[in-house]
Amino acid sequence: MRLVLLGAPGAGKGTQAKKLIEKYRIPQISTGDILRKAVADGTPLGKEAKVIMDKGELVPDKIVLGLVEERVKQNDCKNGYILDGFPRNTAQAEALDKMLNDLRMPLNSALSVDVPKDDLMKRLTGRRTCKSCQQMYNIYYSPAKKDGVCDKCGGELFQRGDDKEATIKRRLHVYDAQTAPLINYYKERGILKTVKGIGSIDEIFKNVCTILESKK
Ligand code: AP5
């Protein structure tokens, strides 16, 4: 399965991707996670990306495309992968199509996770992530048992630098302007699927699996 997860910031792409990788045993390729790791490692790319990410803007296509191309060619992607947060605009989508056509491994589906705008701000301001195992929590919807401590591994929970209200507003604007048009892009190519991203995480996951496994 070669899948693109589409959806606004906070729609739950990362949350559903974590469950999909367990069920289908294929890797999640999150350009956001790759970039955050480069930022944390203090690499030259990370330093350049940090300034852009803190503003809620998109990192230049050339950088992101290079990262994805290198990643999809790795051995663990042979049986498929989940692209989370990529592509982010039409230029990235076209470059991805070309890259995958050259490899003779086109996408199977693009799944759009649909969440009303009003829910997104609370999901993002409330998000907390474990520094050690990346488990995600939400102080409003799914808090850790002990404040600031991961239930799973005891690691420290942190808030992402771009989950501040002003940056979130910018990210939502950038999504509307640059990423939302990809819904039509994939619809026109006949591979778009859509799931409602409200309700419990497990309920949504059940629907995601049904939709992905349906032949239609
Ligand atoms: P990225 O890391 O991709 O962030 P994003 O797209 O803004 O998406 P998020 O990770 O914020 O949200 P999500 O949909 O994964 O939601 P999650 O599952 O975490 O990108 C960050 C930045 O990197 C970009 O702004 C850009 O600068 C750069 N970048 C990345 N890719 C790029 C690219 N291709 N090109 C250029 N630049 C790029 O859930 C959110 C919260 O909601 C969590 O707390 C979770 O617990 C909670 N939640 C999830 N599901 C539910 C539910 N059903 N009910 C209640 N709460 C829920």
Side-chain angles (χ1 to χ4, degrees), residues 7-15 30-33 35-36 52-53 56-59 64 84-88 92 123-124 126-128 136-138 141-142 160 162-163 171 197 199-201 204:
K13 303 180 294 295
T15 303
S30 157
T31 41
D33 286 350
L35 291 166
R36 276 185 289 280
I52 301 166
M53 292 167 83
E57 304 290 342
L58 295 184
V59 171
V64 182
D84 163 12
F86 177 90
R88 247 353 204 251
Q92 291 185 11
R123 284 196 187 185
L124 291 169
R127 171 167 51 193
R128 299 292 182 273
M136 241 175 313
Y137 297 88
N138 193 289
Y141 303 112
S142 49
R160 260 170 53 177
D162 60 350
D163 278 348
R171 286 162 58 202
S200 81
I201 289 168
I204 297 166

mmCIF file of all heavy atoms in Angstrom, residues 7-15 30-33 35-36 52-53 56-59 64 84-88 92 123-124 126-128 136-138 141-142 160 162-163 171 197 199-201 204, ligand 1:
data_model
loop_
_atom_site.group_PDB
_atom_site.id
_atom_site.type_symbol
_atom_site.label_atom_id
_atom_site.label_comp_id
_atom_site.label_asym_id
_atom_site.label_seq_id
_atom_site.Cartn_x
_atom_site.Cartn_y
_atom_site.Cartn_z
ATOM 1 N N GLY A 7 -4.832 16.263 4.980
ATOM 2 C CA GLY A 7 -5.701 16.812 6.033
ATOM 3 C C GLY A 7 -5.055 18.036 6.638
ATOM 4 O O GLY A 7 -3.832 18.194 6.602
ATOM 5 N N ALA A 8 -5.885 18.890 7.213
ATOM 6 C CA ALA A 8 -5.397 20.139 7.811
ATOM 7 C C ALA A 8 -4.492 19.825 9.005
ATOM 8 O O ALA A 8 -4.546 18.720 9.556
ATOM 9 C CB ALA A 8 -6.593 20.965 8.262
ATOM 10 N N PRO A 9 -3.668 20.786 9.431
ATOM 11 C CA PRO A 9 -2.928 20.605 10.677
ATOM 12 C C PRO A 9 -3.884 20.232 11.805
ATOM 13 O O PRO A 9 -4.925 20.878 11.979
ATOM 14 C CB PRO A 9 -2.319 21.998 10.921
ATOM 15 C CG PRO A 9 -2.216 22.617 9.565
ATOM 16 C CD PRO A 9 -3.397 22.094 8.795
ATOM 17 N N GLY A 10 -3.570 19.167 12.534
ATOM 18 C CA GLY A 10 -4.418 18.746 13.645
ATOM 19 C C GLY A 10 -5.543 17.807 13.257
ATOM 20 O O GLY A 10 -6.322 17.364 14.106
ATOM 21 N N ALA A 11 -5.647 17.447 11.977
ATOM 22 C CA ALA A 11 -6.749 16.570 11.551
ATOM 23 C C ALA A 11 -6.606 15.154 12.120
ATOM 24 O O ALA A 11 -7.570 14.396 12.154
ATOM 25 C CB ALA A 11 -6.800 16.520 10.024
ATOM 26 N N GLY A 12 -5.375 14.805 12.529
ATOM 27 C CA GLY A 12 -5.166 13.468 13.080
ATOM 28 C C GLY A 12 -4.396 12.558 12.133
ATOM 29 O O GLY A 12 -4.435 11.324 12.286
ATOM 30 N N LYS A 13 -3.670 13.138 11.188
ATOM 31 C CA LYS A 13 -2.906 12.323 10.224
ATOM 32 C C LYS A 13 -1.864 11.474 10.961
ATOM 33 O O LYS A 13 -1.761 10.272 10.737
ATOM 34 C CB LYS A 13 -2.173 13.230 9.203
ATOM 35 C CG LYS A 13 -3.091 14.169 8.437
ATOM 36 C CD LYS A 13 -2.326 15.034 7.460
ATOM 37 C CE LYS A 13 -1.367 16.031 8.081
ATOM 38 N NZ LYS A 13 -1.997 17.091 8.897
ATOM 39 N N GLY A 14 -1.101 12.122 11.831
ATOM 40 C CA GLY A 14 -0.050 11.407 12.571
ATOM 41 C C GLY A 14 -0.645 10.334 13.462
ATOM 42 O O GLY A 14 -0.119 9.219 13.545
ATOM 43 N N THR A 15 -1.750 10.661 14.116
ATOM 44 C CA THR A 15 -2.407 9.711 15.033
ATOM 45 C C THR A 15 -2.861 8.467 14.269
ATOM 46 O O THR A 15 -2.618 7.332 14.705
ATOM 47 C CB THR A 15 -3.629 10.395 15.691
ATOM 48 O OG1 THR A 15 -3.179 11.568 16.362
ATOM 49 C CG2 THR A 15 -4.355 9.478 16.651
ATOM 50 N N SER A 30 6.885 10.848 7.654
ATOM 51 C CA SER A 30 6.341 12.160 8.002
ATOM 52 C C SER A 30 7.417 13.204 7.749
ATOM 53 O O SER A 30 8.462 13.201 8.410
ATOM 54 C CB SER A 30 5.931 12.169 9.483
ATOM 55 O OG SER A 30 5.908 13.501 9.975
ATOM 56 N N THR A 31 7.167 14.078 6.762
ATOM 57 C CA THR A 31 8.182 15.104 6.467
ATOM 58 C C THR A 31 8.337 16.044 7.668
ATOM 59 O O THR A 31 9.433 16.509 7.956
ATOM 60 C CB THR A 31 7.824 15.889 5.186
ATOM 61 O OG1 THR A 31 6.425 16.151 5.170
ATOM 62 C CG2 THR A 31 8.218 15.118 3.952
ATOM 63 N N GLY A 32 7.232 16.280 8.397
ATOM 64 C CA GLY A 32 7.319 17.113 9.609
ATOM 65 C C GLY A 32 8.270 16.483 10.625
ATOM 66 O O GLY A 32 9.136 17.159 11.184
ATOM 67 N N ASP A 33 8.135 15.163 10.859
ATOM 68 C CA ASP A 33 9.011 14.475 11.830
ATOM 69 C C ASP A 33 10.470 14.509 11.364
ATOM 70 O O ASP A 33 11.377 14.709 12.165
ATOM 71 C CB ASP A 33 8.585 13.003 12.018
ATOM 72 C CG ASP A 33 7.305 12.869 12.848
ATOM 73 O OD1 ASP A 33 6.861 13.879 13.428
ATOM 74 O OD2 ASP A 33 6.752 11.749 12.891
ATOM 75 N N LEU A 35 11.872 16.708 9.446
ATOM 76 C CA LEU A 35 12.391 18.083 9.604
ATOM 77 C C LEU A 35 12.624 18.414 11.080
ATOM 78 O O LEU A 35 13.637 19.022 11.424
ATOM 79 C CB LEU A 35 11.412 19.092 8.978
ATOM 80 C CG LEU A 35 11.322 19.046 7.447
ATOM 81 C CD1 LEU A 35 10.099 19.825 6.949
ATOM 82 C CD2 LEU A 35 12.590 19.621 6.814
ATOM 83 N N ARG A 36 11.706 17.981 11.957
ATOM 84 C CA ARG A 36 11.893 18.261 13.401
ATOM 85 C C ARG A 36 13.141 17.557 13.933
ATOM 86 O O ARG A 36 13.825 18.077 14.794
ATOM 87 C CB ARG A 36 10.645 17.854 14.200
ATOM 88 C CG ARG A 36 9.559 18.933 14.195
ATOM 89 C CD ARG A 36 8.387 18.578 15.084
ATOM 90 N NE ARG A 36 7.595 17.492 14.538
ATOM 91 C CZ ARG A 36 6.687 17.629 13.577
ATOM 92 N NH1 ARG A 36 6.430 18.813 13.075
ATOM 93 N NH2 ARG A 36 6.006 16.589 13.132
ATOM 94 N N ILE A 52 11.636 28.688 9.246
ATOM 95 C CA ILE A 52 10.435 28.614 8.396
ATOM 96 C C ILE A 52 9.286 27.938 9.160
ATOM 97 O O ILE A 52 8.148 28.412 9.149
ATOM 98 C CB ILE A 52 10.752 27.821 7.110
ATOM 99 C CG1 ILE A 52 11.898 28.505 6.354
ATOM 100 C CG2 ILE A 52 9.520 27.686 6.235
ATOM 101 C CD1 ILE A 52 12.522 27.666 5.255
ATOM 102 N N MET A 53 9.597 26.847 9.850
ATOM 103 C CA MET A 53 8.561 26.097 10.571
ATOM 104 C C MET A 53 7.980 26.929 11.709
ATOM 105 O O MET A 53 6.776 26.895 11.972
ATOM 106 C CB MET A 53 9.129 24.780 11.097
ATOM 107 C CG MET A 53 9.468 23.811 9.971
ATOM 108 S SD MET A 53 10.465 22.434 10.524
ATOM 109 C CE MET A 53 9.208 21.346 11.182
ATOM 110 N N GLY A 56 5.280 28.940 10.544
ATOM 111 C CA GLY A 56 4.104 28.232 10.019
ATOM 112 C C GLY A 56 4.074 28.181 8.506
ATOM 113 O O GLY A 56 3.062 27.869 7.894
ATOM 114 N N GLU A 57 5.216 28.486 7.882
ATOM 115 C CA GLU A 57 5.297 28.454 6.406
ATOM 116 C C GLU A 57 5.813 27.090 5.947
ATOM 117 O O GLU A 57 6.267 26.288 6.763
ATOM 118 C CB GLU A 57 6.270 29.534 5.911
ATOM 119 C CG GLU A 57 5.951 30.944 6.362
ATOM 120 C CD GLU A 57 4.705 31.516 5.707
ATOM 121 O OE1 GLU A 57 4.275 30.976 4.665
ATOM 122 O OE2 GLU A 57 4.154 32.486 6.252
ATOM 123 N N LEU A 58 5.796 26.863 4.632
ATOM 124 C CA LEU A 58 6.312 25.600 4.094
ATOM 125 C C LEU A 58 7.808 25.707 3.804
ATOM 126 O O LEU A 58 8.278 26.712 3.276
ATOM 127 C CB LEU A 58 5.581 25.225 2.793
ATOM 128 C CG LEU A 58 4.090 24.905 2.903
ATOM 129 C CD1 LEU A 58 3.555 24.453 1.546
ATOM 130 C CD2 LEU A 58 3.808 23.848 3.967
ATOM 131 N N VAL A 59 8.515 24.654 4.131
ATOM 132 C CA VAL A 59 9.938 24.536 3.818
ATOM 133 C C VAL A 59 10.045 24.392 2.284
ATOM 134 O O VAL A 59 9.158 23.786 1.663
ATOM 135 C CB VAL A 59 10.495 23.291 4.569
ATOM 136 C CG1 VAL A 59 11.903 22.953 4.147
ATOM 137 C CG2 VAL A 59 10.403 23.511 6.082
ATOM 138 N N VAL A 64 12.429 19.313 0.699
ATOM 139 C CA VAL A 64 11.508 18.241 1.098
ATOM 140 C C VAL A 64 11.520 17.096 0.080
ATOM 141 O O VAL A 64 11.522 15.921 0.454
ATOM 142 C CB VAL A 64 10.084 18.823 1.268
ATOM 143 C CG1 VAL A 64 9.126 17.765 1.728
ATOM 144 C CG2 VAL A 64 10.096 19.970 2.239
ATOM 145 N N ASP A 84 2.888 11.141 5.264
ATOM 146 C CA ASP A 84 2.114 11.961 6.204
ATOM 147 C C ASP A 84 2.680 13.381 6.170
ATOM 148 O O ASP A 84 3.827 13.600 6.556
ATOM 149 C CB ASP A 84 2.257 11.307 7.596
ATOM 150 C CG ASP A 84 1.872 12.217 8.745
ATOM 151 O OD1 ASP A 84 1.283 13.282 8.503
ATOM 152 O OD2 ASP A 84 2.170 11.852 9.901
ATOM 153 N N GLY A 85 1.875 14.320 5.647
ATOM 154 C CA GLY A 85 2.357 15.706 5.567
ATOM 155 C C GLY A 85 3.099 16.005 4.278
ATOM 156 O O GLY A 85 3.688 17.064 4.121
ATOM 157 N N PHE A 86 3.062 15.098 3.364
ATOM 158 C CA PHE A 86 3.679 15.255 2.044
ATOM 159 C C PHE A 86 2.828 14.504 1.034
ATOM 160 O O PHE A 86 2.461 13.364 1.326
ATOM 161 C CB PHE A 86 5.103 14.701 2.036
ATOM 162 C CG PHE A 86 5.754 14.785 0.675
ATOM 163 C CD1 PHE A 86 6.483 15.895 0.315
ATOM 164 C CD2 PHE A 86 5.581 13.761 -0.262
ATOM 165 C CE1 PHE A 86 7.054 15.989 -0.947
ATOM 166 C CE2 PHE A 86 6.139 13.855 -1.527
ATOM 167 C CZ PHE A 86 6.880 14.966 -1.866
ATOM 168 N N PRO A 87 2.515 15.058 -0.133
ATOM 169 C CA PRO A 87 2.860 16.388 -0.614
ATOM 170 C C PRO A 87 2.020 17.486 0.030
ATOM 171 O O PRO A 87 0.957 17.219 0.588
ATOM 172 C CB PRO A 87 2.583 16.296 -2.111
ATOM 173 C CG PRO A 87 1.518 15.262 -2.243
ATOM 174 C CD PRO A 87 1.779 14.268 -1.152
ATOM 175 N N ARG A 88 2.490 18.707 -0.099
ATOM 176 C CA ARG A 88 1.885 19.857 0.577
ATOM 177 C C ARG A 88 1.394 20.910 -0.407
ATOM 178 O O ARG A 88 0.792 21.893 -0.010
ATOM 179 C CB ARG A 88 2.975 20.502 1.365
ATOM 180 C CG ARG A 88 3.078 20.566 2.846
ATOM 181 C CD ARG A 88 2.014 20.115 3.679
ATOM 182 N NE ARG A 88 2.063 20.735 4.955
ATOM 183 C CZ ARG A 88 2.391 20.121 6.083
ATOM 184 N NH1 ARG A 88 2.695 18.853 6.095
ATOM 185 N NH2 ARG A 88 2.355 20.770 7.206
ATOM 186 N N GLN A 92 4.747 19.740 -5.336
ATOM 187 C CA GLN A 92 5.244 18.529 -4.656
ATOM 188 C C GLN A 92 4.490 17.287 -5.149
ATOM 189 O O GLN A 92 5.083 16.217 -5.330
ATOM 190 C CB GLN A 92 5.100 18.651 -3.138
ATOM 191 C CG GLN A 92 6.035 19.678 -2.506
ATOM 192 C CD GLN A 92 5.952 19.701 -0.979
ATOM 193 O OE1 GLN A 92 5.351 18.835 -0.348
ATOM 194 N NE2 GLN A 92 6.553 20.716 -0.382
ATOM 195 N N ARG A 123 -7.258 20.988 19.292
ATOM 196 C CA ARG A 123 -6.424 19.790 19.120
ATOM 197 C C ARG A 123 -4.950 20.160 19.104
ATOM 198 O O ARG A 123 -4.118 19.446 19.654
ATOM 199 C CB ARG A 123 -6.763 19.090 17.800
ATOM 200 C CG ARG A 123 -8.051 18.310 17.866
ATOM 201 C CD ARG A 123 -8.088 17.362 16.696
ATOM 202 N NE ARG A 123 -9.363 16.687 16.602
ATOM 203 C CZ ARG A 123 -9.610 15.741 15.711
ATOM 204 N NH1 ARG A 123 -8.686 15.402 14.849
ATOM 205 N NH2 ARG A 123 -10.789 15.163 15.678
ATOM 206 N N LEU A 124 -4.636 21.289 18.441
ATOM 207 C CA LEU A 124 -3.217 21.639 18.280
ATOM 208 C C LEU A 124 -2.641 22.316 19.526
ATOM 209 O O LEU A 124 -1.532 22.006 19.944
ATOM 210 C CB LEU A 124 -3.033 22.521 17.044
ATOM 211 C CG LEU A 124 -3.266 21.771 15.718
ATOM 212 C CD1 LEU A 124 -3.326 22.740 14.543
ATOM 213 C CD2 LEU A 124 -2.178 20.743 15.474
ATOM 214 N N GLY A 126 -3.627 21.806 22.431
ATOM 215 C CA GLY A 126 -3.636 20.814 23.508
ATOM 216 C C GLY A 126 -2.676 19.659 23.293
ATOM 217 O O GLY A 126 -2.493 18.815 24.162
ATOM 218 N N ARG A 127 -2.046 19.596 22.119
ATOM 219 C CA ARG A 127 -1.188 18.437 21.812
ATOM 220 C C ARG A 127 0.087 18.435 22.670
ATOM 221 O O ARG A 127 0.742 19.446 22.840
ATOM 222 C CB ARG A 127 -0.787 18.462 20.340
ATOM 223 C CG ARG A 127 0.269 17.404 20.023
ATOM 224 C CD ARG A 127 0.461 17.187 18.546
ATOM 225 N NE ARG A 127 0.675 18.411 17.815
ATOM 226 C CZ ARG A 127 0.628 18.496 16.492
ATOM 227 N NH1 ARG A 127 0.345 17.429 15.772
ATOM 228 N NH2 ARG A 127 0.829 19.638 15.885
ATOM 229 N N ARG A 128 0.427 17.268 23.189
ATOM 230 C CA ARG A 128 1.702 17.065 23.879
ATOM 231 C C ARG A 128 2.272 15.757 23.338
ATOM 232 O O ARG A 128 1.534 14.808 23.098
ATOM 233 C CB ARG A 128 1.523 16.935 25.408
ATOM 234 C CG ARG A 128 0.908 18.147 26.081
ATOM 235 C CD ARG A 128 1.821 19.381 26.060
ATOM 236 N NE ARG A 128 1.206 20.515 26.764
ATOM 237 C CZ ARG A 128 0.385 21.399 26.197
ATOM 238 N NH1 ARG A 128 0.085 21.306 24.902
ATOM 239 N NH2 ARG A 128 -0.130 22.383 26.924
ATOM 240 N N MET A 136 1.543 10.408 21.400
ATOM 241 C CA MET A 136 0.866 11.702 21.439
ATOM 242 C C MET A 136 -0.250 11.735 22.466
ATOM 243 O O MET A 136 -0.952 10.742 22.657
ATOM 244 C CB MET A 136 0.279 11.982 20.074
ATOM 245 C CG MET A 136 0.875 13.242 19.494
ATOM 246 S SD MET A 136 0.359 13.581 17.873
ATOM 247 C CE MET A 136 0.489 12.123 16.974
ATOM 248 N N TYR A 137 -0.419 12.884 23.121
ATOM 249 C CA TYR A 137 -1.501 13.094 24.087
ATOM 250 C C TYR A 137 -2.178 14.406 23.745
ATOM 251 O O TYR A 137 -1.704 15.176 22.911
ATOM 252 C CB TYR A 137 -0.926 13.180 25.517
ATOM 253 C CG TYR A 137 -0.249 11.913 25.947
ATOM 254 C CD1 TYR A 137 1.105 11.699 25.674
ATOM 255 C CD2 TYR A 137 -0.952 10.903 26.599
ATOM 256 C CE1 TYR A 137 1.727 10.522 26.045
ATOM 257 C CE2 TYR A 137 -0.324 9.723 26.973
ATOM 258 C CZ TYR A 137 1.015 9.544 26.694
ATOM 259 O OH TYR A 137 1.620 8.372 27.058
ATOM 260 N N ASN A 138 -3.291 14.631 24.413
ATOM 261 C CA ASN A 138 -3.943 15.936 24.265
ATOM 262 C C ASN A 138 -4.507 16.319 25.626
ATOM 263 O O ASN A 138 -5.253 15.532 26.223
ATOM 264 C CB ASN A 138 -5.046 15.865 23.206
ATOM 265 C CG ASN A 138 -5.507 17.254 22.827
ATOM 266 O OD1 ASN A 138 -6.157 17.923 23.627
ATOM 267 N ND2 ASN A 138 -5.153 17.708 21.650
ATOM 268 N N TYR A 141 -8.384 16.199 25.354
ATOM 269 C CA TYR A 141 -9.115 14.995 24.920
ATOM 270 C C TYR A 141 -8.531 13.675 25.427
ATOM 271 O O TYR A 141 -9.266 12.720 25.643
ATOM 272 C CB TYR A 141 -9.159 14.928 23.386
ATOM 273 C CG TYR A 141 -9.766 16.137 22.741
ATOM 274 C CD1 TYR A 141 -8.998 17.007 21.985
ATOM 275 C CD2 TYR A 141 -11.129 16.418 22.893
ATOM 276 C CE1 TYR A 141 -9.558 18.123 21.379
ATOM 277 C CE2 TYR A 141 -11.692 17.531 22.297
ATOM 278 C CZ TYR A 141 -10.904 18.381 21.542
ATOM 279 O OH TYR A 141 -11.460 19.483 20.959
ATOM 280 N N SER A 142 -7.214 13.611 25.545
ATOM 281 C CA SER A 142 -6.600 12.326 25.937
ATOM 282 C C SER A 142 -5.341 12.619 26.755
ATOM 283 O O SER A 142 -4.223 12.362 26.289
ATOM 284 C CB SER A 142 -6.252 11.510 24.683
ATOM 285 O OG SER A 142 -5.537 12.329 23.758
ATOM 286 N N ARG A 160 4.990 21.190 20.827
ATOM 287 C CA ARG A 160 5.719 21.588 19.626
ATOM 288 C C ARG A 160 5.823 23.105 19.509
ATOM 289 O O ARG A 160 4.878 23.815 19.847
ATOM 290 C CB ARG A 160 4.999 21.034 18.384
ATOM 291 C CG ARG A 160 5.643 19.776 17.866
ATOM 292 C CD ARG A 160 4.856 19.081 16.817
ATOM 293 N NE ARG A 160 4.441 19.896 15.676
ATOM 294 C CZ ARG A 160 3.788 19.409 14.625
ATOM 295 N NH1 ARG A 160 3.488 18.119 14.577
ATOM 296 N NH2 ARG A 160 3.437 20.189 13.628
ATOM 297 N N ASP A 162 5.642 24.956 16.990
ATOM 298 C CA ASP A 162 4.699 25.604 16.068
ATOM 299 C C ASP A 162 3.247 25.426 16.512
ATOM 300 O O ASP A 162 2.328 25.755 15.773
ATOM 301 C CB ASP A 162 4.901 25.092 14.622
ATOM 302 C CG ASP A 162 4.693 23.586 14.485
ATOM 303 O OD1 ASP A 162 4.572 22.889 15.511
ATOM 304 O OD2 ASP A 162 4.647 23.105 13.336
ATOM 305 N N ASP A 163 3.024 24.919 17.725
ATOM 306 C CA ASP A 163 1.650 24.780 18.233
ATOM 307 C C ASP A 163 1.217 25.971 19.088
ATOM 308 O O ASP A 163 0.484 25.833 20.070
ATOM 309 C CB ASP A 163 1.502 23.460 19.011
ATOM 310 C CG ASP A 163 1.272 22.268 18.073
ATOM 311 O OD1 ASP A 163 0.996 22.482 16.878
ATOM 312 O OD2 ASP A 163 1.362 21.120 18.540
ATOM 313 N N ARG A 171 -0.508 28.349 9.874
ATOM 314 C CA ARG A 171 -0.465 27.011 9.267
ATOM 315 C C ARG A 171 -1.804 26.658 8.625
ATOM 316 O O ARG A 171 -1.861 26.053 7.555
ATOM 317 C CB ARG A 171 -0.109 25.954 10.325
ATOM 318 C CG ARG A 171 1.378 26.006 10.722
ATOM 319 C CD ARG A 171 1.639 25.295 12.032
ATOM 320 N NE ARG A 171 1.258 23.905 12.047
ATOM 321 C CZ ARG A 171 1.010 23.212 13.152
ATOM 322 N NH1 ARG A 171 1.114 23.787 14.344
ATOM 323 N NH2 ARG A 171 0.664 21.955 13.077
ATOM 324 N N GLY A 197 -12.957 12.803 10.270
ATOM 325 C CA GLY A 197 -11.940 12.706 11.319
ATOM 326 C C GLY A 197 -12.439 13.117 12.686
ATOM 327 O O GLY A 197 -11.646 13.490 13.545
ATOM 328 N N GLY A 199 -14.843 12.043 16.213
ATOM 329 C CA GLY A 199 -15.247 10.836 16.934
ATOM 330 C C GLY A 199 -14.009 10.283 17.613
ATOM 331 O O GLY A 199 -12.965 10.953 17.649
ATOM 332 N N SER A 200 -14.117 9.049 18.146
ATOM 333 C CA SER A 200 -12.949 8.520 18.859
ATOM 334 C C SER A 200 -11.885 8.086 17.846
ATOM 335 O O SER A 200 -12.200 7.759 16.695
ATOM 336 C CB SER A 200 -13.348 7.345 19.751
ATOM 337 O OG SER A 200 -13.444 6.173 18.971
ATOM 338 N N ILE A 201 -10.632 8.079 18.307
ATOM 339 C CA ILE A 201 -9.511 7.711 17.436
ATOM 340 C C ILE A 201 -9.718 6.293 16.896
ATOM 341 O O ILE A 201 -9.481 6.023 15.716
ATOM 342 C CB ILE A 201 -8.189 7.857 18.228
ATOM 343 C CG1 ILE A 201 -7.915 9.354 18.453
ATOM 344 C CG2 ILE A 201 -7.015 7.179 17.509
ATOM 345 C CD1 ILE A 201 -6.820 9.676 19.456
ATOM 346 N N ILE A 204 -12.490 6.200 14.196
ATOM 347 C CA ILE A 204 -11.986 6.753 12.928
ATOM 348 C C ILE A 204 -11.085 5.718 12.250
ATOM 349 O O ILE A 204 -11.180 5.492 11.042
ATOM 350 C CB ILE A 204 -11.230 8.086 13.163
ATOM 351 C CG1 ILE A 204 -12.181 9.133 13.729
ATOM 352 C CG2 ILE A 204 -10.582 8.601 11.872
ATOM 353 C CD1 ILE A 204 -11.512 10.358 14.319
HETATM 354 P P1 AP5 B 1 3.660 18.578 10.058
HETATM 355 O O1 AP5 B 1 4.462 17.973 11.125
HETATM 356 O O2 AP5 B 1 3.332 17.789 8.847
HETATM 357 O O3 AP5 B 1 2.370 19.168 10.742
HETATM 358 P P2 AP5 B 1 0.845 19.384 10.216
HETATM 359 O O4 AP5 B 1 0.522 18.975 8.846
HETATM 360 O O5 AP5 B 1 0.597 20.792 10.556
HETATM 361 O O6 AP5 B 1 0.081 18.347 10.968
HETATM 362 P P3 AP5 B 1 0.141 18.043 12.481
HETATM 363 O O7 AP5 B 1 1.272 17.106 12.770
HETATM 364 O O8 AP5 B 1 0.119 19.328 13.263
HETATM 365 O O9 AP5 B 1 -1.268 17.372 12.700
HETATM 366 P P4 AP5 B 1 -1.810 15.900 12.425
HETATM 367 O O10 AP5 B 1 -2.860 15.941 11.382
HETATM 368 O O11 AP5 B 1 -0.695 14.912 12.246
HETATM 369 O O12 AP5 B 1 -2.539 15.672 13.814
HETATM 370 P P5 AP5 B 1 -2.117 14.750 15.064
HETATM 371 O O13 AP5 B 1 -2.354 13.323 14.732
HETATM 372 O O14 AP5 B 1 -0.770 15.156 15.565
HETATM 373 O O15 AP5 B 1 4.360 19.926 9.533
HETATM 374 C C1 AP5 B 1 4.924 20.862 10.408
HETATM 375 C C2 AP5 B 1 5.705 21.883 9.597
HETATM 376 O O16 AP5 B 1 6.807 21.244 8.907
HETATM 377 C C3 AP5 B 1 4.936 22.610 8.496
HETATM 378 O O17 AP5 B 1 4.222 23.731 8.984
HETATM 379 C C4 AP5 B 1 6.065 22.990 7.517
HETATM 380 O O18 AP5 B 1 6.765 24.120 7.968
HETATM 381 C C5 AP5 B 1 6.995 21.789 7.604
HETATM 382 N N1 AP5 B 1 6.689 20.752 6.608
HETATM 383 C C6 AP5 B 1 6.292 19.467 6.852
HETATM 384 N N2 AP5 B 1 6.085 18.809 5.707
HETATM 385 C C7 AP5 B 1 6.360 19.686 4.709
HETATM 386 C C8 AP5 B 1 6.309 19.596 3.283
HETATM 387 N N3 AP5 B 1 5.920 18.466 2.666
HETATM 388 N N4 AP5 B 1 6.636 20.695 2.563
HETATM 389 C C9 AP5 B 1 7.033 21.824 3.172
HETATM 390 N N5 AP5 B 1 7.090 21.987 4.504
HETATM 391 C C10 AP5 B 1 6.762 20.922 5.280
HETATM 392 O O19 AP5 B 1 -3.230 15.197 16.120
HETATM 393 C C11 AP5 B 1 -3.260 16.506 16.667
HETATM 394 C C12 AP5 B 1 -3.815 16.458 18.101
HETATM 395 O O20 AP5 B 1 -5.182 16.040 18.045
HETATM 396 C C13 AP5 B 1 -3.096 15.467 19.038
HETATM 397 O O21 AP5 B 1 -3.042 16.000 20.339
HETATM 398 C C14 AP5 B 1 -4.000 14.232 19.018
HETATM 399 O O22 AP5 B 1 -3.897 13.475 20.215
HETATM 400 C C15 AP5 B 1 -5.378 14.865 18.851
HETATM 401 N N6 AP5 B 1 -6.322 14.003 18.150
HETATM 402 C C16 AP5 B 1 -6.088 13.202 17.073
HETATM 403 N N7 AP5 B 1 -7.216 12.558 16.696
HETATM 404 C C17 AP5 B 1 -8.187 12.980 17.541
HETATM 405 C C18 AP5 B 1 -9.582 12.688 17.684
HETATM 406 N N8 AP5 B 1 -10.202 11.829 16.875
HETATM 407 N N9 AP5 B 1 -10.271 13.307 18.664
HETATM 408 C C19 AP5 B 1 -9.654 14.184 19.527
HETATM 409 N N10 AP5 B 1 -8.345 14.489 19.457
HETATM 410 C C20 AP5 B 1 -7.615 13.902 18.470
#
